[in-house]
Structures are given as C-alpha cells and as structure tokens.
Amino acid sequence: MEPAQPADRVPADSTPPDGQPPADVPAGRGGEPAATDPTPPPPAAVSGKSERSPKDMAISLLVLLVPIALLLAFYRGFLGGDQATTVDPAPAIEQARSANVFPVGQPQGLGADWKTVSARYQTVEGGANLRLGYLTPEGRGVQLLQSSVPADRLLPAELTSQAQPQGPTELAGRAWQLYTARGNQQALVLLEPTRTVIVVGDARDNELRELAGSLR
C-alpha cells in the first residue's frame, strides 16, 4: 500500500506585500529597491603607443614650413624686407656746419648703390662728432666719423686701445693712415689740426678707400 500523497501544493506567491520589493530584487537600507546602474563599465585601456612613421613626420613638417616660406617670400618680394632703411644726411651735416666746431666734409660722387643708413651730429665731452653710417654696394657697414675730439682720446674710444697704424696711404691728395680696429674691422684715419676723420667698418679695403677718397 502506497503512502498517502500530500494534497496538491499551491505555489508560493512571489508578490510581496504592498510597499515591499520583490523577493528577488535587492532592497536598499530603507526597504526601497536598490538602484542598479545600467551603464556598462568602460572598456579597458589598450596598452602600447601609436608610432608615427618618418613619412608622416616629414609631411607634418612640410605642412608647417610651406606657409612660413610663402610669408617670407611675400615679405621680401612685395614689402621690401631685405632693403635697408635709408635716411637723409643733409640735416645732420647742416647742423654740424652751423655749429662751426670743425670743417665739415661730405662724400661726393658715390654711386646710387651706396645707402646712407644713419646720420647724427652731437656734442660730446671734449668736442663734437658727426657720424654718417653707410651700407656699401656689397652690403657691408661703414661709418664716416668727423670729430673735434683730440685724436689721443678719439682713436682708443673708436678703434680700441690696441689699435695700431699699419702705414700711410694717399687718397684724393690727402695722407691717410691705415689702422686696425675691432674684430674684423679696419679703419682709415685722417689727422688734421682741427679735425680727425675716421672711416671704419667691416667693408673691403677698396670700399673703405672709395668712401674716404670721396670726402670733400
């Protein structure tokens, strides 16, 4: 005889009482359903570096250099970026002549490719100076200085204390002295009773002589 079977079992009702979360949903501290974050976790970072090929780097550099080259060409070709700023030496020369401190000479007969880039007359301790700065046809700088400052003070100040005469040379009927000067510069010096003239710069010897010989 088989044992008696229990009556049909009624499935347990999973519906919770009013205000309670379902049995299979985690509850919070106050009994409310715990919040769940549906956002998936961020993907793991991929290790390793992306390397650029030499070709990519060359192309990037070219992209940067092309606009710079175009701007430089425009600056030089249309705006005159390589041209020296010239000045009119006449006011400074006239000021020196009006002061009547020393006889004032002026270069004459220089070609149009000689550019006057500075001109200044000023009184200094012991006398006065007239300075005219030039850009030579070869693009080098030369200064023509006429001064009433005594030569024993002027030459060390302008040519350094180590400046030494290298021998006489005659230009336009005047006896000039060739001197050493600062760095790669050389100078021509004309000593007169009331004036000392110095032509100094990094120009070639022929350009120094041309400027000195043009002084009238």
Side-chain angles (χ1 to χ4, degrees):
M1 180 176 178
E2 295 182 359
Q5 297 294 328
D8 292 339
R9 302 174 65 181
V10 179
D13 188 0
S14 61
T15 303
D18 293 341
Q20 297 298 321
D24 57 349
V25 178
R29 296 178 60 184
E32 71 279 0
T36 57
D37 187 1
T39 305
V46 179
S47 60
K49 296 181 179 179
S50 60
E51 296 182 356
R52 300 178 64 187
S53 66
K55 180 180 179 181
D56 292 336
M57 297 178 66
I59 294 176
S60 299
L61 183 60
L62 185 63
V63 170
L64 292 174
L65 292 179
V66 168
I68 296 176
L70 292 176
L71 288 174
L72 184 60
F74 178 78
Y75 174 70
R76 289 181 174 180
F78 295 94
L79 301 182
D82 287 340
Q83 298 179 5
T85 302
T86 60
V87 301
D88 181 8
I93 294 174
E94 183 58 33
Q95 186 180 2
R97 286 175 174 165
S98 298
N100 199 27
V101 178
F102 53 82
V104 177
Q106 182 176 357
Q108 297 182 9
L110 293 176
D113 46 1
W114 282 81
K115 308 296 184 183
T116 307
V117 295
S118 64
R120 184 181 183 186
Y121 173 78
Q122 63 180 152
T123 57
V124 295
E125 183 179 357
N129 294 333
L130 173 61
R131 297 179 185 270
L132 303 177
Y134 293 90
L135 191 66
T136 74
E138 294 185 4
R140 300 178 181 271
V142 179
Q143 182 177 188
L144 169 62
L145 170 63
Q146 301 175 70
S147 177
S148 62
V149 176
D152 59 349
R153 292 176 51 188
L154 182 67
L155 296 183
E158 297 294 329
L159 306 180
T160 78
S161 58
Q162 286 76 36
Q164 297 294 328
Q166 303 298 304
T169 182
E170 184 173 336
L171 297 169
R174 293 171 174 167
W176 293 73
Q177 283 280 347
L178 181 64
Y179 270 76
T180 57
R182 293 181 174 86
N184 63 340
Q185 296 183 350
Q186 56 182 342
L188 288 169
V189 177
L190 177 64
L191 300 174
E192 295 180 337
T194 58
R195 177 185 68 165
T196 298
V197 182
I198 300 176
V199 176
V200 59
D202 63 353
R204 298 182 185 274
D205 181 72
N206 64 310
E207 290 184 322
L208 290 177
R209 292 175 179 272
E210 182 179 358
L211 179 58
S214 71
L215 189 64
R216 299 289 186 270

